Amino acid sequence: MDLSYSPQEEQFRTELRAWLQRNPPGPEPEDLDEWVRYGKRWQRRLYEAGWCGIAWPKEYGGRGATLIEQVIFQEEMAQARAPLLINLAGLTMGGPVLIAHGTDAQKRRYLKPLLAAEEIWCQGFSEPNAGSDLAALKTRAVLDGDDFVVNGQKVWTSFARYADWCMLLVRTDPDAPKHRGITFLLADMHSPGVTVRPLKQISGAEDFNEVFFEDVRVPRANVIGRIDGGWEIAITTLMHERATLTFSRQLQSRAALDEMIRFARGWQRDGRPALSDPLIRQQVAQALIESAAIRYTAYRSLTKTLRGGGPGPEGSIEKLFWSEMYQRQLETALAIEGPYAQLLKGSARAPADGEFPYLYLYSRGRTIAAGSSEVQRNIVAERVLGLPRGK
Ligand SMILES: Cc1cc2nc3c(=O)[nH]c(=O)nc-3n(C[C@H](O)[C@H](O)[C@H](O)COP(=O)(O)OP(=O)(O)OC[C@H]3O[C@@H](n4cnc5c(N)ncnc54)[C@H](O)[C@@H]3O)c2cc1C
């Protein structure tokens, strides 16, 4: 593992840092509608300055950044406290999938508005009875002339009510084995027959949604790849989701940890700063050790990818460790606040504006999204440790 940067990479960092100093993102609004407007403005600014979709090839409007440059980009964005990009699903999954499997006409039509946040994308994969076992999905699409007619329901669709396009997995051949007969469609979220209902999460946020499709017509021209060949494309999509996340995840948890330590220095318990309590100190030290461990694990898998190994099943170890570590870290934050941790965002006396209880509640989803902990443990057992398959 070589942790030094080449002169070009240093140059990339200097340029980006200078741009961020001239263009600070500013504080994130609390209200989701306002946050979406803010997120679109921020992504648009990045796009205009050539800092959006940096991993995409230049011919499609990206910057053709190397993996190390992508890591530098994430580090600098975390340092500048920049928000997650509003079109994250489109940028990390939709764009790369279109570039790999889309027709020229589809690339011309969709890539630029996606990059510029003129059109927001969402991911319509999960259903009430198809999450971990995604291939069990039941949403049907039947060809009628030049259109597919879609009927069914998706759930947990992040940002669906702000989305213009949905990466939609549908069953087009109900008689085929379950991994076949699935097609990847790009559905217009403004089509007649699409109903989006927000779901309120335990954290109070409402970025999840249920999406109902009732006789929704999707042109055949919006098939990505081939009809009944959607499973392979879905897998590529999820690989993109997993491959690019490890680095930003560990930076995100590290930022919350630094914030927590700052808070613990100033927060008084029994007339002393919370950080002077030996039990709190021990938990904070453990969190710092785990944070360093995930950082170096992320670097190790980066090195493997740079040497041509590609992200393998070890990614499951990282995802598992990171998500559970992040939850432990936020439990420590709540222990530091003590009984005050019960005061949520919006409460006048909530310490740190209720940020830690909010992050704690939000972090519950981290052991579910992008493959639950149980599913990751199965992968580690079978594909890393070579244990026999469970029944
Ligand atoms: C923050 C967040 C954002 C999300 N955004 C989106 C989105 O934008 N679009 C989208 O399509 N989906 C999204 N999802 C949904 C996510 O993909 C699913 O929640 C996930 O795949 C798990 O599926 P499920 O909720 O149906 O749970 P299930 O698969 O029903 O699992 C229920 C429980 O059973 C366990 N389990 C399941 N199978 C096994 C097994 N084989 N062995 C052992 N245990 C098992 C699970 O670990 C879990 O504890 C999001 C989820 C979260 C938390």
Side-chain angles (χ1 to χ4, degrees), residues 89 93 121-134 154-160 167 169 201 207-209 238 241-242 362-378 382 391:
M93 298 182 260
W121 288 38
C122 66
Q123 181 192 16
F125 282 20
S126 306
E127 296 185 4
N129 290 310
S132 304
D133 184 12
L134 182 58
K154 296 289 169 180
V155 73
W156 318 126
T157 323
S158 306
F159 293 101
M167 296 177 265
L169 285 187
Q201 291 136 244
D207 45 14
F208 277 160
N209 304 270
L238 295 173
E241 182 183 26
R242 286 170 197 177
Y362 205 93
S363 76
R364 307 315 294 166
R366 298 297 184 210
T367 42
I368 303 171
S372 70
S373 282
E374 289 80 2
V375 168
Q376 304 297 351
R377 283 192 168 87
N378 283 346
E382 290 164 16
K391 294 221 168 87

Short mmCIF file of all heavy atoms in Angstrom, two decimals, residues 89 93 121-134 154-160 167 169 201 207-209 238 241-242 362-378 382 391, ligand 1:
data_model
loop_
_atom_site.label_atom_id
_atom_site.label_comp_id
_atom_site.label_asym_id
_atom_site.label_seq_id
_atom_site.Cartn_x
_atom_site.Cartn_y
_atom_site.Cartn_z
N ALA A 89 -27.91 8.63 -6.70
CA ALA A 89 -28.28 7.35 -7.33
C ALA A 89 -27.99 7.41 -8.83
O ALA A 89 -27.45 6.47 -9.42
CB ALA A 89 -29.74 7.03 -7.07
N MET A 93 -24.92 5.19 -10.05
CA MET A 93 -25.45 3.96 -10.64
C MET A 93 -26.00 4.20 -12.05
O MET A 93 -25.60 3.53 -13.00
CB MET A 93 -26.55 3.38 -9.76
CG MET A 93 -26.07 2.99 -8.39
SD MET A 93 -27.37 2.25 -7.41
CE MET A 93 -27.87 3.63 -6.42
N TRP A 121 -32.80 11.37 -10.55
CA TRP A 121 -33.09 9.94 -10.74
C TRP A 121 -33.30 9.26 -9.40
O TRP A 121 -32.67 9.64 -8.40
CB TRP A 121 -31.91 9.25 -11.43
CG TRP A 121 -31.74 9.57 -12.88
CD1 TRP A 121 -31.93 10.78 -13.49
CD2 TRP A 121 -31.33 8.66 -13.90
NE1 TRP A 121 -31.65 10.67 -14.82
CE2 TRP A 121 -31.28 9.38 -15.11
CE3 TRP A 121 -30.98 7.31 -13.91
CZ2 TRP A 121 -30.90 8.80 -16.32
CZ3 TRP A 121 -30.61 6.72 -15.10
CH2 TRP A 121 -30.58 7.46 -16.30
N CYS A 122 -34.17 8.23 -9.41
CA CYS A 122 -34.30 7.38 -8.22
C CYS A 122 -34.17 5.92 -8.62
O CYS A 122 -34.17 5.60 -9.82
CB CYS A 122 -35.61 7.65 -7.48
SG CYS A 122 -37.09 7.19 -8.39
N GLN A 123 -34.05 5.06 -7.61
CA GLN A 123 -33.78 3.65 -7.86
C GLN A 123 -35.00 2.82 -7.42
O GLN A 123 -35.25 2.67 -6.23
CB GLN A 123 -32.54 3.23 -7.05
CG GLN A 123 -32.13 1.79 -7.22
CD GLN A 123 -31.08 1.36 -6.19
OE1 GLN A 123 -30.88 2.05 -5.19
NE2 GLN A 123 -30.43 0.26 -6.43
N GLY A 124 -35.76 2.31 -8.39
CA GLY A 124 -36.96 1.53 -8.08
C GLY A 124 -36.67 0.04 -8.18
O GLY A 124 -37.09 -0.61 -9.13
N PHE A 125 -35.97 -0.47 -7.19
CA PHE A 125 -35.64 -1.91 -7.17
C PHE A 125 -36.50 -2.64 -6.14
O PHE A 125 -37.25 -3.53 -6.47
CB PHE A 125 -34.15 -2.13 -6.81
CG PHE A 125 -33.17 -1.89 -7.92
CD1 PHE A 125 -33.49 -1.12 -9.03
CD2 PHE A 125 -31.89 -2.44 -7.87
CE1 PHE A 125 -32.57 -0.90 -10.05
CE2 PHE A 125 -30.97 -2.25 -8.89
CZ PHE A 125 -31.31 -1.47 -9.98
N SER A 126 -36.40 -2.21 -4.84
CA SER A 126 -37.04 -2.96 -3.74
C SER A 126 -38.57 -2.92 -3.85
O SER A 126 -39.16 -1.92 -4.28
CB SER A 126 -36.65 -2.36 -2.39
OG SER A 126 -35.26 -2.30 -2.28
N GLU A 127 -39.18 -4.03 -3.40
CA GLU A 127 -40.65 -4.13 -3.32
C GLU A 127 -41.01 -4.67 -1.95
O GLU A 127 -40.13 -5.16 -1.23
CB GLU A 127 -41.15 -5.09 -4.41
CG GLU A 127 -40.88 -4.60 -5.81
CD GLU A 127 -41.49 -5.50 -6.89
OE1 GLU A 127 -42.20 -6.47 -6.54
OE2 GLU A 127 -41.24 -5.20 -8.07
N PRO A 128 -42.31 -4.64 -1.59
CA PRO A 128 -42.67 -5.14 -0.25
C PRO A 128 -42.17 -6.58 -0.01
O PRO A 128 -41.81 -6.92 1.10
CB PRO A 128 -44.20 -5.06 -0.25
CG PRO A 128 -44.50 -3.94 -1.20
CD PRO A 128 -43.45 -4.00 -2.26
N ASN A 129 -42.12 -7.42 -1.04
CA ASN A 129 -41.64 -8.79 -0.82
C ASN A 129 -40.38 -9.10 -1.62
O ASN A 129 -40.14 -10.26 -1.98
CB ASN A 129 -42.74 -9.80 -1.16
CG ASN A 129 -43.85 -9.73 -0.12
OD1 ASN A 129 -43.59 -9.78 1.09
ND2 ASN A 129 -45.07 -9.53 -0.59
N ALA A 130 -39.63 -8.09 -1.94
CA ALA A 130 -38.38 -8.32 -2.68
C ALA A 130 -37.37 -7.26 -2.27
O ALA A 130 -37.41 -6.12 -2.75
CB ALA A 130 -38.63 -8.27 -4.19
N GLY A 131 -36.51 -7.61 -1.32
CA GLY A 131 -35.47 -6.69 -0.86
C GLY A 131 -34.13 -7.41 -0.97
O GLY A 131 -33.47 -7.37 -2.01
N SER A 132 -33.79 -8.16 0.09
CA SER A 132 -32.57 -8.98 0.03
C SER A 132 -32.69 -9.96 -1.14
O SER A 132 -31.72 -10.18 -1.88
CB SER A 132 -32.40 -9.78 1.32
OG SER A 132 -32.39 -8.92 2.42
N ASP A 133 -33.87 -10.54 -1.30
CA ASP A 133 -34.11 -11.45 -2.42
C ASP A 133 -34.75 -10.63 -3.55
O ASP A 133 -35.93 -10.78 -3.86
CB ASP A 133 -35.03 -12.58 -1.95
CG ASP A 133 -35.25 -13.62 -3.04
OD1 ASP A 133 -34.51 -13.58 -4.06
OD2 ASP A 133 -36.15 -14.45 -2.88
N LEU A 134 -33.92 -9.78 -4.17
CA LEU A 134 -34.43 -8.82 -5.15
C LEU A 134 -35.08 -9.51 -6.36
O LEU A 134 -36.06 -9.00 -6.93
CB LEU A 134 -33.26 -7.92 -5.60
CG LEU A 134 -33.58 -6.81 -6.58
CD1 LEU A 134 -34.63 -5.87 -6.03
CD2 LEU A 134 -32.30 -6.03 -6.92
N LYS A 154 -43.31 -0.37 -5.73
CA LYS A 154 -41.93 -0.32 -5.21
C LYS A 154 -41.98 0.32 -3.82
O LYS A 154 -42.94 1.03 -3.48
CB LYS A 154 -41.05 0.51 -6.14
CG LYS A 154 -40.89 -0.09 -7.53
CD LYS A 154 -40.05 -1.33 -7.50
CE LYS A 154 -40.08 -2.11 -8.79
NZ LYS A 154 -39.25 -3.31 -8.76
N VAL A 155 -40.92 0.11 -3.03
CA VAL A 155 -40.91 0.69 -1.68
C VAL A 155 -39.49 1.05 -1.28
O VAL A 155 -38.53 0.54 -1.89
CB VAL A 155 -41.57 -0.30 -0.67
CG1 VAL A 155 -40.69 -1.49 -0.39
CG2 VAL A 155 -41.96 0.40 0.64
N TRP A 156 -39.35 1.92 -0.29
CA TRP A 156 -38.07 2.46 0.21
C TRP A 156 -37.36 3.26 -0.88
O TRP A 156 -36.13 3.32 -0.88
CB TRP A 156 -37.11 1.38 0.73
CG TRP A 156 -37.72 0.29 1.54
CD1 TRP A 156 -37.60 -1.06 1.31
CD2 TRP A 156 -38.51 0.42 2.72
NE1 TRP A 156 -38.28 -1.75 2.26
CE2 TRP A 156 -38.85 -0.87 3.14
CE3 TRP A 156 -38.99 1.52 3.45
CZ2 TRP A 156 -39.64 -1.11 4.25
CZ3 TRP A 156 -39.78 1.28 4.56
CH2 TRP A 156 -40.08 -0.02 4.94
N THR A 157 -38.11 3.82 -1.81
CA THR A 157 -37.49 4.50 -2.94
C THR A 157 -37.05 5.90 -2.48
O THR A 157 -37.88 6.81 -2.36
CB THR A 157 -38.48 4.60 -4.12
OG1 THR A 157 -39.25 3.40 -4.16
CG2 THR A 157 -37.75 4.80 -5.42
N SER A 158 -35.74 6.05 -2.24
CA SER A 158 -35.23 7.32 -1.73
C SER A 158 -35.47 8.44 -2.75
O SER A 158 -35.23 8.25 -3.95
CB SER A 158 -33.72 7.22 -1.46
OG SER A 158 -33.44 6.14 -0.62
N PHE A 159 -35.93 9.58 -2.26
CA PHE A 159 -36.13 10.80 -3.05
C PHE A 159 -37.09 10.63 -4.23
O PHE A 159 -37.07 11.45 -5.15
CB PHE A 159 -34.79 11.36 -3.55
CG PHE A 159 -33.94 11.86 -2.41
CD1 PHE A 159 -32.90 11.10 -1.91
CD2 PHE A 159 -34.23 13.08 -1.81
CE1 PHE A 159 -32.15 11.53 -0.83
CE2 PHE A 159 -33.49 13.52 -0.73
CZ PHE A 159 -32.45 12.75 -0.24
N ALA A 160 -37.95 9.59 -4.20
CA ALA A 160 -38.84 9.35 -5.36
C ALA A 160 -39.71 10.57 -5.66
O ALA A 160 -40.01 10.85 -6.81
CB ALA A 160 -39.71 8.14 -5.11
N MET A 167 -35.05 4.27 -12.20
CA MET A 167 -34.42 3.04 -12.71
C MET A 167 -35.29 1.91 -12.19
O MET A 167 -35.25 1.57 -11.00
CB MET A 167 -33.00 2.89 -12.14
CG MET A 167 -32.06 3.98 -12.57
SD MET A 167 -30.45 3.74 -11.76
CE MET A 167 -30.63 4.81 -10.35
N LEU A 169 -36.93 -1.86 -12.11
CA LEU A 169 -36.82 -3.29 -12.46
C LEU A 169 -38.22 -3.87 -12.51
O LEU A 169 -38.99 -3.74 -11.55
CB LEU A 169 -36.01 -4.04 -11.41
CG LEU A 169 -34.50 -3.83 -11.40
CD1 LEU A 169 -33.85 -4.80 -10.40
CD2 LEU A 169 -33.88 -4.04 -12.78
N GLN A 201 -39.72 8.14 8.46
CA GLN A 201 -38.78 7.23 9.10
C GLN A 201 -38.70 7.49 10.61
O GLN A 201 -39.16 8.52 11.08
CB GLN A 201 -37.39 7.41 8.47
CG GLN A 201 -37.34 6.91 7.05
CD GLN A 201 -36.61 7.86 6.13
OE1 GLN A 201 -37.18 8.43 5.22
NE2 GLN A 201 -35.33 8.05 6.38
N ASP A 207 -37.37 10.91 3.49
CA ASP A 207 -36.80 10.77 2.15
C ASP A 207 -37.16 9.44 1.48
O ASP A 207 -36.94 9.23 0.31
CB ASP A 207 -35.28 11.02 2.14
CG ASP A 207 -34.54 10.34 3.26
OD1 ASP A 207 -35.15 9.48 3.88
OD2 ASP A 207 -33.36 10.66 3.49
N PHE A 208 -37.75 8.50 2.25
CA PHE A 208 -38.25 7.25 1.67
C PHE A 208 -39.64 7.44 1.08
O PHE A 208 -40.38 8.30 1.55
CB PHE A 208 -38.45 6.22 2.77
CG PHE A 208 -37.23 5.48 3.17
CD1 PHE A 208 -37.19 4.84 4.39
CD2 PHE A 208 -36.15 5.37 2.34
CE1 PHE A 208 -36.09 4.12 4.78
CE2 PHE A 208 -35.04 4.64 2.72
CZ PHE A 208 -35.02 4.03 3.95
N ASN A 209 -39.99 6.57 0.16
CA ASN A 209 -41.33 6.64 -0.43
C ASN A 209 -41.80 5.26 -0.86
O ASN A 209 -40.97 4.38 -1.11
CB ASN A 209 -41.33 7.52 -1.69
CG ASN A 209 -40.80 8.91 -1.41
OD1 ASN A 209 -41.55 9.80 -1.07
ND2 ASN A 209 -39.50 9.10 -1.51
N LEU A 238 -25.65 -2.41 -8.84
CA LEU A 238 -25.34 -2.56 -7.42
C LEU A 238 -23.83 -2.60 -7.19
O LEU A 238 -23.34 -2.11 -6.18
CB LEU A 238 -26.01 -3.82 -6.86
CG LEU A 238 -27.55 -3.75 -6.87
CD1 LEU A 238 -28.16 -5.08 -6.46
CD2 LEU A 238 -28.06 -2.64 -5.96
N GLU A 241 -22.83 0.83 -7.02
CA GLU A 241 -23.26 1.40 -5.74
C GLU A 241 -22.24 1.01 -4.66
O GLU A 241 -21.81 1.83 -3.87
CB GLU A 241 -24.64 0.86 -5.36
CG GLU A 241 -25.18 1.46 -4.06
CD GLU A 241 -26.52 0.89 -3.64
OE1 GLU A 241 -26.85 -0.27 -4.00
OE2 GLU A 241 -27.24 1.60 -2.93
N ARG A 242 -21.84 -0.28 -4.64
CA ARG A 242 -20.97 -0.73 -3.55
C ARG A 242 -19.53 -0.28 -3.73
O ARG A 242 -18.87 0.10 -2.78
CB ARG A 242 -21.05 -2.26 -3.43
CG ARG A 242 -22.38 -2.63 -2.80
CD ARG A 242 -22.71 -4.09 -2.82
NE ARG A 242 -24.15 -4.23 -2.57
CZ ARG A 242 -24.81 -5.35 -2.57
NH1 ARG A 242 -24.19 -6.48 -2.78
NH2 ARG A 242 -26.11 -5.37 -2.34
N TYR A 362 -31.00 7.67 12.15
CA TYR A 362 -30.81 7.50 10.71
C TYR A 362 -29.87 6.32 10.43
O TYR A 362 -30.03 5.58 9.46
CB TYR A 362 -30.25 8.78 10.08
CG TYR A 362 -30.60 8.89 8.61
CD1 TYR A 362 -31.75 9.58 8.21
CD2 TYR A 362 -29.83 8.28 7.64
CE1 TYR A 362 -32.10 9.66 6.88
CE2 TYR A 362 -30.18 8.35 6.30
CZ TYR A 362 -31.31 9.04 5.93
OH TYR A 362 -31.66 9.09 4.61
N SER A 363 -28.89 6.14 11.33
CA SER A 363 -27.87 5.10 11.09
C SER A 363 -28.45 3.69 11.21
O SER A 363 -27.79 2.72 10.81
CB SER A 363 -26.69 5.26 12.05
OG SER A 363 -27.04 4.79 13.34
N ARG A 364 -29.65 3.55 11.78
CA ARG A 364 -30.24 2.21 11.87
C ARG A 364 -30.38 1.59 10.47
O ARG A 364 -30.24 0.39 10.29
CB ARG A 364 -31.64 2.21 12.55
CG ARG A 364 -31.72 2.88 13.90
CD ARG A 364 -30.62 2.53 14.84
NE ARG A 364 -30.59 1.14 15.28
CZ ARG A 364 -29.55 0.58 15.89
NH1 ARG A 364 -28.46 1.28 16.14
NH2 ARG A 364 -29.60 -0.67 16.24
N GLY A 365 -30.64 2.43 9.48
CA GLY A 365 -30.81 1.93 8.11
C GLY A 365 -29.50 1.48 7.46
O GLY A 365 -29.53 0.81 6.42
N ARG A 366 -28.37 1.86 8.06
CA ARG A 366 -27.08 1.54 7.42
C ARG A 366 -26.80 0.04 7.42
O ARG A 366 -26.05 -0.45 6.58
CB ARG A 366 -25.93 2.25 8.14
CG ARG A 366 -26.03 3.75 8.10
CD ARG A 366 -25.95 4.25 6.68
NE ARG A 366 -25.94 5.69 6.63
CZ ARG A 366 -26.43 6.42 5.64
NH1 ARG A 366 -26.99 5.83 4.61
NH2 ARG A 366 -26.36 7.72 5.66
N THR A 367 -27.39 -0.70 8.41
CA THR A 367 -27.17 -2.15 8.42
C THR A 367 -28.24 -2.87 7.57
O THR A 367 -28.32 -4.09 7.57
CB THR A 367 -27.21 -2.70 9.87
OG1 THR A 367 -28.28 -2.05 10.57
CG2 THR A 367 -25.89 -2.42 10.59
N ILE A 368 -29.04 -2.08 6.84
CA ILE A 368 -30.08 -2.68 5.97
C ILE A 368 -29.79 -2.34 4.51
O ILE A 368 -29.77 -3.23 3.65
CB ILE A 368 -31.49 -2.13 6.35
CG1 ILE A 368 -31.79 -2.40 7.83
CG2 ILE A 368 -32.55 -2.75 5.45
CD1 ILE A 368 -33.04 -1.71 8.33
N ALA A 369 -29.55 -1.03 4.24
CA ALA A 369 -29.38 -0.58 2.85
C ALA A 369 -28.14 -1.23 2.23
O ALA A 369 -27.17 -1.54 2.94
CB ALA A 369 -29.23 0.93 2.82
N ALA A 370 -28.18 -1.41 0.91
CA ALA A 370 -27.05 -1.97 0.13
C ALA A 370 -26.59 -3.32 0.69
O ALA A 370 -25.41 -3.62 0.72
CB ALA A 370 -25.88 -0.97 0.08
N GLY A 371 -27.55 -4.14 1.14
CA GLY A 371 -27.23 -5.49 1.65
C GLY A 371 -27.19 -5.49 3.16
O GLY A 371 -26.29 -4.89 3.76
N SER A 372 -28.15 -6.18 3.80
CA SER A 372 -28.24 -6.16 5.28
C SER A 372 -27.04 -6.89 5.91
O SER A 372 -26.35 -7.66 5.23
CB SER A 372 -29.55 -6.82 5.72
OG SER A 372 -29.47 -8.20 5.46
N SER A 373 -26.86 -6.68 7.22
CA SER A 373 -25.73 -7.33 7.92
C SER A 373 -25.82 -8.85 7.81
O SER A 373 -24.80 -9.53 7.62
CB SER A 373 -25.74 -6.94 9.40
OG SER A 373 -25.21 -5.65 9.54
N GLU A 374 -27.04 -9.40 7.93
CA GLU A 374 -27.18 -10.87 7.85
C GLU A 374 -26.74 -11.35 6.47
O GLU A 374 -26.03 -12.36 6.35
CB GLU A 374 -28.64 -11.28 8.10
CG GLU A 374 -29.10 -11.10 9.54
CD GLU A 374 -29.47 -9.66 9.88
OE1 GLU A 374 -29.41 -8.79 8.99
OE2 GLU A 374 -29.80 -9.41 11.05
N VAL A 375 -27.15 -10.62 5.44
CA VAL A 375 -26.78 -11.02 4.07
C VAL A 375 -25.26 -10.89 3.88
O VAL A 375 -24.62 -11.77 3.29
CB VAL A 375 -27.59 -10.18 3.05
CG1 VAL A 375 -27.04 -10.34 1.65
CG2 VAL A 375 -29.06 -10.57 3.11
N GLN A 376 -24.68 -9.82 4.42
CA GLN A 376 -23.21 -9.66 4.30
C GLN A 376 -22.50 -10.81 5.03
O GLN A 376 -21.51 -11.33 4.54
CB GLN A 376 -22.75 -8.33 4.92
CG GLN A 376 -23.41 -7.07 4.37
CD GLN A 376 -23.14 -6.83 2.90
OE1 GLN A 376 -22.33 -7.50 2.28
NE2 GLN A 376 -23.84 -5.88 2.32
N ARG A 377 -23.02 -11.20 6.20
CA ARG A 377 -22.38 -12.30 6.94
C ARG A 377 -22.45 -13.60 6.13
O ARG A 377 -21.51 -14.39 6.13
CB ARG A 377 -23.04 -12.48 8.32
CG ARG A 377 -22.58 -11.43 9.31
CD ARG A 377 -22.98 -11.77 10.76
NE ARG A 377 -22.27 -10.88 11.66
CZ ARG A 377 -22.70 -9.67 12.02
NH1 ARG A 377 -23.87 -9.21 11.57
NH2 ARG A 377 -21.97 -8.91 12.81
N ASN A 378 -23.58 -13.81 5.44
CA ASN A 378 -23.68 -15.01 4.59
C ASN A 378 -22.61 -14.97 3.49
O ASN A 378 -21.97 -15.98 3.21
CB ASN A 378 -25.06 -15.09 3.92
CG ASN A 378 -26.14 -15.57 4.88
OD1 ASN A 378 -25.83 -16.08 5.96
ND2 ASN A 378 -27.39 -15.40 4.49
N GLU A 382 -19.66 -17.70 3.11
CA GLU A 382 -19.57 -18.61 1.97
C GLU A 382 -18.44 -18.28 1.02
O GLU A 382 -17.73 -19.17 0.55
CB GLU A 382 -20.91 -18.59 1.21
CG GLU A 382 -22.02 -19.26 2.01
CD GLU A 382 -23.42 -18.93 1.49
OE1 GLU A 382 -23.53 -18.44 0.34
OE2 GLU A 382 -24.39 -19.15 2.24
N LYS A 391 -28.88 -23.29 4.89
CA LYS A 391 -30.11 -23.82 4.26
C LYS A 391 -31.13 -22.70 4.12
O LYS A 391 -31.19 -21.81 4.90
CB LYS A 391 -30.67 -24.92 5.14
CG LYS A 391 -29.73 -26.13 5.20
CD LYS A 391 -30.52 -27.44 5.12
CE LYS A 391 -29.59 -28.61 4.89
NZ LYS A 391 -29.06 -29.17 6.11
C1 LIG B 1 -31.37 4.14 3.87
C2 LIG B 1 -31.99 3.22 2.84
C3 LIG B 1 -32.16 3.65 1.54
C4 LIG B 1 -32.75 2.80 0.59
N1 LIG B 1 -32.96 3.29 -0.68
C5 LIG B 1 -33.52 2.47 -1.60
C6 LIG B 1 -33.78 2.97 -2.92
O1 LIG B 1 -33.55 4.15 -3.23
N2 LIG B 1 -34.29 2.12 -3.82
C7 LIG B 1 -34.58 0.81 -3.53
O2 LIG B 1 -35.00 0.08 -4.43
N3 LIG B 1 -34.40 0.32 -2.28
C8 LIG B 1 -33.87 1.12 -1.31
N4 LIG B 1 -33.69 0.66 -0.03
C9 LIG B 1 -34.17 -0.69 0.30
C10 LIG B 1 -33.08 -1.71 0.56
O3 LIG B 1 -32.45 -2.08 -0.62
C11 LIG B 1 -33.74 -2.91 1.27
O4 LIG B 1 -34.25 -2.45 2.50
C12 LIG B 1 -32.77 -4.03 1.49
O5 LIG B 1 -32.45 -4.66 0.28
C13 LIG B 1 -33.38 -5.12 2.46
O6 LIG B 1 -34.58 -5.55 1.97
P1 LIG B 1 -35.91 -5.54 2.88
O7 LIG B 1 -36.05 -4.22 3.56
O8 LIG B 1 -37.05 -6.02 2.03
O9 LIG B 1 -35.65 -6.61 4.03
P2 LIG B 1 -35.73 -8.19 3.87
O10 LIG B 1 -34.95 -8.64 2.71
O11 LIG B 1 -37.18 -8.59 3.93
O12 LIG B 1 -35.01 -8.65 5.20
C14 LIG B 1 -35.67 -8.70 6.47
C15 LIG B 1 -34.71 -9.32 7.47
O13 LIG B 1 -34.39 -10.67 7.07
C16 LIG B 1 -32.97 -10.83 6.95
N5 LIG B 1 -32.67 -11.74 5.82
C17 LIG B 1 -33.13 -11.64 4.55
N6 LIG B 1 -32.61 -12.62 3.78
C18 LIG B 1 -31.77 -13.34 4.59
C19 LIG B 1 -30.94 -14.47 4.38
N7 LIG B 1 -30.85 -15.06 3.18
N8 LIG B 1 -30.23 -14.94 5.44
C20 LIG B 1 -30.31 -14.35 6.68
N9 LIG B 1 -31.10 -13.27 6.92
C21 LIG B 1 -31.82 -12.77 5.90
C22 LIG B 1 -32.45 -9.43 6.68
O14 LIG B 1 -31.10 -9.33 7.05
C23 LIG B 1 -33.35 -8.57 7.54
O15 LIG B 1 -32.92 -8.57 8.88
C24 LIG B 1 -33.14 1.48 0.94
C25 LIG B 1 -32.98 1.05 2.28
C26 LIG B 1 -32.43 1.89 3.21
C27 LIG B 1 -32.31 1.40 4.64
#
